[in-house]
Amino acid sequence: MKGKMPSAVITDGDLAMRNAIKRVLPNAHHRLCAWNLCRNAASNVKNPKMVSMFRKCMLGDYEMSEFKHRWEVMVKEFRLEENNWVKEMYEKKRMWATTYIRGNFFAGFRTMSRCEGLHGQLGKFVHSRTDLVGFLKNYGRFLEVIRFNELEANFESVRGDMVLETNFHAVERSTSKIFTKEVFILVRPALARGSTMRVMGCTQLMSQTIFTVSKYGRSQKEWQVSYIPEPLFLKCSCQRMESFGLPCDHIIGVMVHLNIQEMLKCLVLSRWTMGVKENAYEIRDGRNSIWDSVFDARCGYLDFLCKKMNRLGGRSATRFNEIKDWVSSKINLYSEAHMTSGDGNENGTDEGGPTLKDPIRVGLKGCAAGSSSQARTRPHKCRQCGVAGHNRTTCPNKRKYEASIESGEVLFRVA
């Protein structure tokens, strides 16, 4: 994090975690997991229809007045005026309702599913009986798989061009060249809905212009979009950009009204762009060095390509010789360039460092087996006859002893 404090945290609502977040991360917005809230609603109210209405109140992007109205209708319909859990949830509405969370950046996350998904993937590599060295090795393999999948996704996002589907080809084309394919698919519906937006009014202020925007055929609901020409900046009252990091259809409508032909930089977060990983450099000793994760991902992808080349080149002697000569020449060329630059390890790591091994085994307390100071065990004797070699159950005189007890006579002395 490089000294940056997280601005958003999602938990299941544990009291100890809430107190720790308030104390350690006072500026972070704490959000409750939507999945856990729905499960708690089902266990506390036990009414599927109420859970459905509660989910709509939680995830719906309503105004505050509309949210309060829907909540009152739900409480009145299911007679939950005296339900303590419902009262407590309404008091905590700023921690789970989209209406009150709007404007806080969560990148679209509402649950802890991503964290739980990573735990499930990690469970395929380690288990409860894995030792420390085995855990570190398997955890490294797990990271290699994650980084390789990320590198493959980056390659698929860069390869090829997206098909233009909206009427705003210039804006859509520039957007497809900036965002990754996954994010572009999320932005494209806003571009399509931008044609349904109409600018109903304009208020000119000293440093900015405020456009009043409404959807075609629904003029009863309006949004305000602020436009600042220098530096170029757009902001909407729906706060979708602040919440998800993606431009809304209201801003797209204003861009069309102003005849803007490309996606603005103020509407692009670097985390959604194609080249965000390539620009992740650090300065060490006055020279650039890539992150270790990028280095490992590149090595993994090169290994994958080399395996394919091995299968294809090994089938023919001509191909084998061509590939062998080409690879040898490239290795010699890059080795000379690497030694001349004097960068050492390209990934910035130290070779030949101390290796981590299992801890030294420590014996149990007490004397070791076979020690001269070990006490000799006494032979076990029968509790009925006092003779060694058998016990009370297998005693040959058991019947005589039981008969003597019944008659009131004791033939044997208990040892």
Side-chain angles (χ1 to χ4, degrees), residues 69-347:
H69 174 71
R70 288 176 176 268
W71 184 267
E72 292 174 357
V73 170
M74 181 190 70
V75 172
K76 185 176 180 180
E77 179 178 351
F78 297 100
R79 299 178 181 179
L80 301 174
E81 292 84 356
E82 303 300 327
N83 190 295
N84 295 329
W85 183 84
V86 174
K87 293 180 180 179
E88 182 182 0
M89 285 297 101
Y90 186 76
E91 294 177 356
K92 298 178 181 178
K93 58 182 178 294
R94 297 185 182 277
M95 299 179 65
W96 54 266
T98 303
T99 301
Y100 294 91
I101 296 177
R102 187 192 300 120
N104 296 282
F105 183 71
F106 282 92
F109 288 104
R110 297 169 176 170
T111 65
M112 300 186 298
S113 57
R114 184 171 186 178
C115 178
E116 298 296 338
L118 287 176
H119 292 169
Q121 293 294 329
L122 181 60
K124 299 177 182 179
F125 293 85
V126 298
H127 50 82
S128 59
R129 301 183 65 180
T130 305
D131 58 4
L132 181 58
V133 175
F135 172 80
L136 293 177
K137 291 181 179 179
N138 292 334
Y139 186 72
R141 292 173 52 208
F142 167 70
L143 292 180
E144 289 179 0
V145 172
I146 295 297
R147 289 164 181 167
F148 176 74
N149 293 339
E150 181 184 1
L151 194 63
E152 267 194 332
N154 290 339
F155 174 75
E156 290 295 332
S157 183
V158 175
R159 183 172 64 91
D161 296 327
M162 297 294 292
V163 179
L164 304 181
E165 298 180 356
T166 66
N167 296 326
F168 313 121
H169 289 176
V171 179
E172 186 178 4
R173 185 179 295 105
S174 65
T175 305
S176 64
K177 293 180 180 179
I178 296 174
F179 293 109
T180 62
K181 288 184 178 179
E182 290 77 8
V183 178
F184 174 73
I185 292 175
L186 299 176
V187 177
R188 185 160 54 187
L191 297 177
R193 292 192 300 267
S195 60
T196 63
M197 294 297 158
R198 295 292 181 267
V199 176
M200 307 301 296
C202 175
T203 303
Q204 184 68 42
L205 301 179
M206 184 178 297
S207 61
Q208 62 179 342
T209 304
I210 299 179
F211 294 94
T212 302
V213 182
S214 65
K215 194 172 183 179
Y216 177 76
R218 298 181 182 178
S219 57
Q220 65 275 10
K221 192 171 184 179
E222 297 178 345
W223 296 269
Q224 282 71 40
V225 178
S226 301
Y227 169 70
I228 302 177
E230 291 294 337
L232 191 58
F233 183 76
L234 287 170
K235 183 178 180 180
C236 183
S237 59
C238 71
Q239 296 184 330
R240 176 179 171 82
M241 186 67 194
E242 290 78 7
S243 302
F244 300 96
L246 302 175
C248 62
D249 41 359
H250 318 122
I251 292 180
I252 300 299
V254 174
M255 290 176 58
V256 174
H257 178 75
L258 296 174
N259 196 26
I260 298 176
Q261 299 294 324
E262 61 181 8
M263 182 58 63
L264 303 177
K265 292 183 179 180
C266 62
L267 303 177
V268 177
L269 294 183
S270 59
R271 66 175 65 215
W272 307 138
T273 58
M274 293 184 180
V276 63
K277 298 290 288 187
E278 298 178 358
N279 298 328
Y281 286 90
E282 293 180 348
I283 303 298
R284 297 179 182 176
D285 300 332
R287 61 179 182 271
N288 291 334
S289 61
I290 60 175
W291 285 358
D292 294 341
S293 58
V294 179
F295 175 80
D296 294 338
R298 290 176 179 177
C299 290
Y301 190 66
L302 290 177
D303 291 339
F304 173 73
L305 295 179
C306 289
K307 289 179 181 179
K308 284 188 174 182
M309 185 180 293
N310 292 340
R311 289 193 295 267
L312 297 175
R315 298 178 182 275
S316 171
T318 304
R319 292 180 186 173
F320 171 75
N321 293 328
E322 291 178 358
I323 295 175
K324 182 188 67 173
D325 296 338
W326 182 81
V327 172
S328 300
S329 62
K330 290 296 181 181
I331 291 176
N332 295 332
L333 177 62
Y334 295 151
S335 298
E336 293 177 0
H338 185 64
M339 295 300 295
T340 304
S341 61
D343 290 338
N345 290 332
E346 190 175 352
N347 61 341

